[in-house]
Amino acid sequence: FFIYLPFQAVHAPLEAPQNVIDSYFNVTIANYQRSVKAAMVTVLDGVIGEIVDTIKQNDLWQDLLVIFSTDNGGPVYPGEAASNWPIRGGKATLWEG
């Protein structure tokens, strides 16, 4: 079988459940916008985990190939909260960021 599952996270609009944002903001991350992005990744990770668990429960995991693909990283221009460290660049660059 084939599943193509594109996620909007982490991308505009920057939205996540408030309780997940709160678990980062002023706890481990001081910048609110970065906290929202971290929360988006946390939610995305949870959803992918649920999908993997379901595939395993249906005995389809052993011969499965999973491919994760992304674009060229977060925007690193002024006013944005992205960091692609330790790789270089970000959106609108030719670097690997």
Side-chain angles (χ1 to χ4, degrees):
F1 69 95
F2 176 80
I3 297 174
Y4 170 70
L5 185 57
F7 285 93
Q8 185 69 14
V10 173
H11 205 279
L14 300 181
E15 300 173 335
Q18 191 62 48
N19 65 312
V20 184
I21 296 169
D22 293 343
S23 71
Y24 288 104
F25 184 53
N26 287 329
V27 176
T28 57
I29 302 173
N31 179 290
Y32 186 79
Q33 188 175 6
R34 287 185 67 112
S35 297
V36 173
K37 290 180 180 183
M40 292 172 77
V41 172
T42 297
V43 172
L44 175 64
D45 185 62
V47 171
I48 291 171
E50 290 177 20
I51 293 167
V52 167
D53 289 345
T54 300
I55 290 170
K56 287 179 177 180
Q57 289 169 4
N58 288 282
D59 296 322
L60 299 170
W61 182 254
Q62 183 175 342
D63 296 319
L64 185 68
L65 173 64
V66 177
I67 299 172
F68 290 97
S69 179
T70 185
D71 66 5
N72 59 341
V76 292
Y77 32 84
E80 292 294 331
S83 171
N84 299 313
W85 187 87
I87 53 181
R88 300 169 292 180
K91 295 209 179 295
T93 70
L94 298 177
W95 300 105
E96 65 273 8

